[in-house]
């Protein structure tokens, strides 16, 4: 089934994107700093040697503070590079000045580690628009992150970054959709499964 056959998914995306566009930039920045603090103190992130993350755009929950904090903590960070077929290659985070403009208003690393590099991460932080109470993530509809998450080994901590009201929403799902193990917001981290040791 494609998104064209799931009008409920399209309608939910439109509603969530409209709400994000109305969010004041000051609020987005404050929420980004709070979300970063929660993630940087999460046991899964503290233990990680390599973290897969991304560079936020627009009204997405911001990642600048998070990326700076991961670097300061000595983590190796890999970021996605959108390929022409919609899949994700990965490159190394070397600071904002080492990013290049890309399609769809994205900023990406210039090096290429390959599509399987996401499997080397101990923690995978992904964007999304919503997540259900059981961890079903709603993305923007391209399937890029569902493909990437399919390469992540079982047991790897996967977490979607969202605004508080985007957590616990009923999300229409298709067979290719991938669940995440947690959601991070300015209010804290919601885990969908057993607590970390």
């Amino acid at each position: 089934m494609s998104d064209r056959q799931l009008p409920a998914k399209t309608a939910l995306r439109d509603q969530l994107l409209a709400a994000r566009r109305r969010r004041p930039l000051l609020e987005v920045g404050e929420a980004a700093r709070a979300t970063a603090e929660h993630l940087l103190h999460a046991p899964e992130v503290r233990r990680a040697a390599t973290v897969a993350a991304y560079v936020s755009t627009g009204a997405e929950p911001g990642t600048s503070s998070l990326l700076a904090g991961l670097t300061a903590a000595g983590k190796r960070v890999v970021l996605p590079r959108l390929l022409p077929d919609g899949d994700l290659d990965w490159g190394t985070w070397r600071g904002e000045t080492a990013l290049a403009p890309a399609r769809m208003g994205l900023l990406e690393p210039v090096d290429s580690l390959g599509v399987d590099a996401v499997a080397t991460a101990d923690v995978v932080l992904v964007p999304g628009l919503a997540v259900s109470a059981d961890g079903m993530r709603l993305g923007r509809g391209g399937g890029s992150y569902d493909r990437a998450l399919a390469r992540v080994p079982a047991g790897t901590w996967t977490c979607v970054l969202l605004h508080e009201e985007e957590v616990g929403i009923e999300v229409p799902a298709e067979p290719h959709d991938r669940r995440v193990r947690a959601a991070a917001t300015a209010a804290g981290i919601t885990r969908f499964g057993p607590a970390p040791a």
Side-chain angles (χ1 to χ4, degrees), residues 78-81 83 87-91 111-120 151:
V78 295
L79 302 175
R81 301 175 69 230
L83 296 172
D87 206 345
L88 297 177
D89 185 3
W90 297 83
D111 65 328
S112 171
L113 301 171
V115 295
D116 293 321
V118 69
T120 68
R151 295 183 179 105

Side-chain angles (χ1 to χ4, degrees), residues 10 18 24 55 60 65 84 87 90 112 114 132 161 173 179 181:
T10 302
V55 177
E60 283 184 325
S65 297
D87 206 345
W90 297 83
S112 171
S132 68
L161 279 61
R179 283 184 166 75
R181 298 182 65 184

Side-chain angles (χ1 to χ4, degrees), residues 43-125:
E44 298 89 348
V45 176
R46 285 198 323 262
R47 287 192 300 257
T50 299
V51 176
Y54 63 98
V55 177
S56 60
T57 61
E60 283 184 325
T63 58
S64 292
S65 297
L66 175 62
L67 293 170
L70 291 169
T71 301
K75 309 297 181 189
R76 175 180 177 255
V77 179
V78 295
L79 302 175
R81 301 175 69 230
L82 185 62
L83 296 172
D85 67 355
D87 206 345
L88 297 177
D89 185 3
W90 297 83
T92 309
W93 164 250
R94 300 186 196 287
E96 291 182 18
T97 58
L99 296 173
R103 292 184 300 142
M104 301 171 63
L106 300 174
L107 291 173
E108 300 177 340
V110 294
D111 65 328
S112 171
L113 301 171
V115 295
D116 293 321
V118 69
T120 68
D122 305 299
V123 164
V124 179
L125 306 175

Side-chain angles (χ1 to χ4, degrees), residues 1-37:
M1 234 183 181
S2 74
D3 282 359
R4 286 184 288 267
Q5 296 170 307
L6 283 179
K9 231 180 189 184
T10 302
L12 180 57
R13 279 193 189 103
D14 290 346
Q15 174 188 348
L16 293 164
L17 287 168
R20 282 188 174 183
R21 285 190 293 273
R22 291 190 299 271
R23 188 176 299 276
L25 285 179
L26 179 62
E27 181 184 312
V28 172
E30 290 170 354
R33 287 184 286 281
T35 302
E37 282 301 309

Side-chain angles (χ1 to χ4, degrees), residues 36-48 157 189 191 196:
E37 282 301 309
H38 292 303
L39 282 167
L40 293 169
H41 288 94
E44 298 89 348
V45 176
R46 285 198 323 262
R47 287 192 300 257
W157 198 63
I189 296 176
R191 289 179 172 83

Side-chain angles (χ1 to χ4, degrees), residues 156-187:
T156 301
W157 198 63
T158 55
C159 180
V160 61
L161 279 61
L162 296 170
H163 298 295
E164 294 171 50
E165 66 277 5
E166 297 168 343
V167 177
I169 294 175
E170 187 175 330
V171 172
E174 297 176 87
H176 69 266
D177 290 331
R178 298 291 172 164
R179 283 184 166 75
V180 291
R181 298 182 65 184
T185 71

